[in-house]
Every structure is written in structure tokens, then in C-alpha cells.
Amino acid sequence: MHFSKLLLATLVTPLFAHPGEKHDPHAVKREIHTRDVLASSGKRALDACSTTLGARHLHAKNVKRRAQTVDSLRKKRGITANPQKYRRDLAALEEWEAINHNQTGLLDYSPHTPESVIFAANTSCILTPTVTDGPYYVWGEVIRQNVKEEEHCDGVDLFLEVQYIDINTCKPVEGALVDIWQANATGVYSGISTSGNYAANGYNSTYLRGIQQTNADGIVTFDTIFPGHYDGRAIHTHLLTHLNATILPNNTLQVGTGSVTQIGQLFWNEDLRSAVEATYPYTTNTQAITSNADDMWSVEQASSAYDPFPEYVYLGEGVEEGLFAWIQIGVNASSDYTDNSYYSIAAYYDENGGHANSESVIGGGSGGGGMGGMNGTNSTMP
């Protein structure tokens, strides 16, 4: 299997971020500093947690579960070849991300490398709410594990596992409701119909969006695809975490309930992006490609205070056979960022279908939820 790292951004930036947002540069600078302080203190808390009996037990469960998941996914897809295993060197990755944003060497692992080596990695990321949810967040998505639909979801299959750990208690965060949303292979988001992002079926579309609730081990999983690129942003996947939200009979969340504990974006390295985008239908995407180095939301996210890189493996010999990716995220479960300027609802999906939030910039209003005037030059930069 190919073993590597993903790229997780936990930063803010004052320039050319997401159109539909405007943030004071001085406030942004303070928030970056606050992010670093929170990350450092969070890392210390997670480091202390890692030595506990409960953490060691959870670690062993993680190794076993991830190995079993990959084995099950391979069998489901009829993959019988004995693939090579690779791992990226962490120090080289940190150098790549922090300095030259280019590429790193691969360290060969034999096909007989123990599962404990492949699947034991815990990233212990601190996802502070200093990453915008972007102007394309939709409230009202359905609770479902598989967010792929029959249309507009062709691409490289991605099975994503996210585990949340409370840095205050050292325990998994059970019962959190995690939103996921991303662009499809041609760089278009569902649920939105606006300049630069005219989704088929407009506000009524729901592909590659959904919600899952964390289990007793703090885990959610999603069946999705590797996201496509679009002009102005590096490839990324959005995550947003609610606590204590009310689940309605129609399997959606009640508006205005619960707290927002985490807002974040997963980024993906250039080697993997290149491999995926050499396949169909990514090859039909005519939008300009933005690298991680040129993406203003990821260029500064590497820090010595925490490891921001999740993991992934190829299920077979090539990306066409699918990917399994995982990340462990440290959060402060007592936090609530509902009123944070980076939390904004662009649209709602309810019993009447999808419709724009009239108070958001995307919806044509004055910019509710902390969103100000347009900042940037491309309206498809969520």
C-alpha cells in the first residue's frame, strides 16, 4: 500500500481567502497567534493523554480497526494483488510543508511490514476555529455515511475516518455531529448556485454533503471521493463539528440547536493530487490548479507545536482502486464558535428543498454570520 500523509490547515490569512468574507488583517494576525498558543497547549494536553491506560487501549483498537477496514474495503472491491507499502518521512514532510512546498522522498516498506507500523499513526491535530467554513456551508444536510450519489460523484473513491479526542478529558468525543462537504471531481459544490459555482439542480442538490455522529470511540466515517480542484484554492475537504444538536425525525439537524466545536479543512498533498487528477473525470476539469504552496489558507499551517498531517493508504496498486484515509483530531469540547466570524451559513436544506440564506453574501444579503463584503477575485473559493 502507499502510505503517506494528508495536509490539514489550521490557519487564517488576510488576503485572497474565501470570497464572501472580509477580515481585519490585524485581527487575523492576532488569531494566528492565538491558534499557535492553543495548538501548543493542546499538544501538551494530548501528549499527557497519550500515556494513559485508556489512550493505549484506544490506540490498540485504532490499529486493529484500521487494518480490518482496509482489508474489508480491498475484499469488497475484489483487490487481490499484494500491493507495496510506502510511508513518508515525517521530518521530510514537515520540511516540505514549512519550507519549499515541493515534494519529499518515499521510504520503502516491504509487503510484510506489520500492521502496527502502517496503522498506528495518531496525528493529534488541534483544529481551532481559525479556518473558515467558507461561503458554501449548508445547514440541513442528511445524516448519512455515504455522501456519494448517482450523479456528479464519479471519481476516486475515498473512505475517510475522523476521530475526535477531547483535550480536556483525554477521552473520545462521543455523540458529536460532523458535517462534511467538498467539491466534486470537476470542482463544483452541491447545494449552491452562484457565480462560479452553478451546481446541477442548484440549491436542491446534495451530493458529497452529509453528517455523521461520532461513536463511543469518537469516530465518524464517510464514503466520499477525492475532491476536485477549482481556481483559487488548493484541494481540500471541509469538516464542521456540532455538539448537543437536536436530530429531527427527518434525519437532519434542528436549526439553532447545539454548539459548533470545530471548523476545519483537510488538505491533500501534491503527489496524491497529481496521481488522482491524472484519472477520469478529473482530467475533464478545466479550472486552474492551485498548489498547497499557493493556497493562502494552507501555506502557514505547519507548526512545531503539533503534527498537522493525517494519513492515507492506497487500497490497491493505483489510486483508481480507492483510498483509505484517517486523522485523529484534538478538540476542546467545551468550546462554542457559533458566533465566530468564520462560521457562516450560506444556505438551508429543509422540507421545502434548498434555498439561500438571505443574510449571507452568497444568498444576496448583507453578510450575516460575520461575513462581510467580497474579498478576493474569484467567487468559487470556499
Side-chain angles (χ1 to χ4, degrees):
M1 299 175 189
H2 292 270
F3 178 94
S4 190
K5 295 277 188 172
L6 304 178
L7 176 62
L8 180 67
T10 54
L11 79 159
V12 291
T13 180
L15 299 174
F16 305 109
H18 293 78
E21 297 174 283
K22 185 176 182 180
H23 303 287
D24 179 76
H26 299 292
V28 167
K29 185 176 181 179
R30 290 194 297 271
E31 289 181 8
I32 290 176
H33 174 72
T34 301
R35 184 284 314 266
D36 291 340
V37 171
L38 289 172
S40 181
S41 62
K43 182 179 185 299
R44 288 195 298 271
L46 287 172
D47 285 346
C49 292
S50 66
T51 62
T52 66
L53 179 62
R56 293 197 298 270
H57 175 66
L58 185 64
H59 178 79
K61 289 181 67 177
N62 288 342
V63 171
K64 183 177 181 180
R65 181 189 63 257
R66 291 164 185 161
Q68 289 177 338
T69 297
V70 168
D71 183 61
S72 175
L73 290 169
R74 282 169 47 80
K75 288 180 179 177
K76 182 179 179 180
R77 288 159 172 75
I79 301 172
T80 58
N82 192 15
Q84 282 189 295
K85 301 174 182 178
Y86 293 96
R87 180 177 182 175
R88 287 189 179 278
D89 176 74
L90 179 58
L93 272 174
E94 289 175 339
E95 178 181 1
W96 170 79
E97 183 54 31
I99 300 176
N100 61 24
H101 302 274
N102 189 3
Q103 58 185 334
T104 61
L106 294 174
L107 297 181
D108 287 338
Y109 280 84
S110 78
H112 306 292
T113 302
E115 292 173 344
S116 60
V117 174
I118 300 296
F119 296 106
N122 286 318
T123 54
S124 299
C125 284
I126 309 299
L127 235 67
T128 56
T130 48
V131 176
T132 175
D133 65 358
Y136 293 171
Y137 174 61
V138 176
W139 183 289
E141 298 303 333
V142 175
I143 296 175
R144 57 179 180 175
Q145 190 271 337
N146 187 351
V147 299
K148 294 182 294 184
E149 298 180 359
E150 289 186 7
E151 295 183 312
H152 316 298
C153 294
D154 292 337
V156 171
D157 288 337
L158 171 65
F159 187 92
L160 177 65
E161 173 192 291
V162 186
Q163 183 175 45
Y164 292 90
I165 304 295
D166 188 346
I167 63 174
N168 298 308
T169 65
C170 300
K171 295 180 179 179
V173 181
E174 183 178 5
L177 290 152
V178 181
D179 269 278
I180 188 173
W181 69 103
Q182 64 177 64
N184 69 1
T186 56
V188 179
Y189 284 84
S190 68
I192 296 295
S193 182
T194 188
S195 177
N197 192 95
Y198 293 111
N201 299 321
Y203 288 99
N204 290 320
S205 58
T206 58
Y207 60 83
L208 302 179
R209 292 180 182 267
I211 299 173
Q212 273 288 280
Q213 189 167 29
T214 57
N215 64 16
D217 289 329
I219 293 168
V220 291
T221 61
F222 291 99
D223 275 326
T224 182
I225 64 167
F226 190 86
H229 73 266
Y230 51 91
D231 190 13
R233 289 301 317 277
I235 287 177
H236 60 283
T237 301
H238 290 270
L239 295 173
L240 189 148
T241 307
H242 309 265
L243 284 177
N244 302 312
T246 300
I247 301 175
L248 297 172
N250 65 353
N251 216 29
T252 64
L253 304 187
Q254 182 175 337
V255 176
T257 62
S259 60
V260 176
T261 279
Q262 170 265 328
I263 303 170
Q265 298 176 22
L266 302 179
F267 284 72
W268 308 79
N269 71 49
E270 299 297 331
D271 290 341
L272 180 60
R273 179 193 63 77
S274 296
V276 170
E277 296 209 314
T279 67
Y280 180 85
Y282 299 91
T283 51
T284 68
N285 190 342
T286 60
Q287 299 190 64
I289 296 173
T290 299
S291 69
N292 289 318
D294 292 331
D295 185 279
M296 293 301 293
W297 287 88
S298 63
V299 68
E300 298 181 58
Q301 64 28 87
S303 168
S304 60
Y306 62 105
D307 175 5
F309 299 100
E311 321 284 344
Y312 68 80
V313 295
Y314 283 28
L315 297 177
E317 295 179 326
V319 292
E320 298 89 344
E321 294 177 290
L323 302 163
F324 170 62
W326 69 97
I327 180 170
Q328 185 186 78
I329 297 172
V331 297
N332 185 343
S334 63
S335 298
D336 184 5
Y337 302 107
T338 303
D339 295 325
N340 188 278
S341 63
Y342 290 97
Y343 175 59
S344 178
I345 300 172
Y348 295 91
Y349 190 86
D350 54 29
E351 64 274 8
N352 298 314
H355 54 92
N357 176 7
S358 61
E359 296 184 355
S360 77
V361 171
I362 293 299
S366 59
M371 294 174 67
M374 299 297 282
N375 180 28
T377 59
N378 190 307
S379 61
T380 59
M381 297 169 64

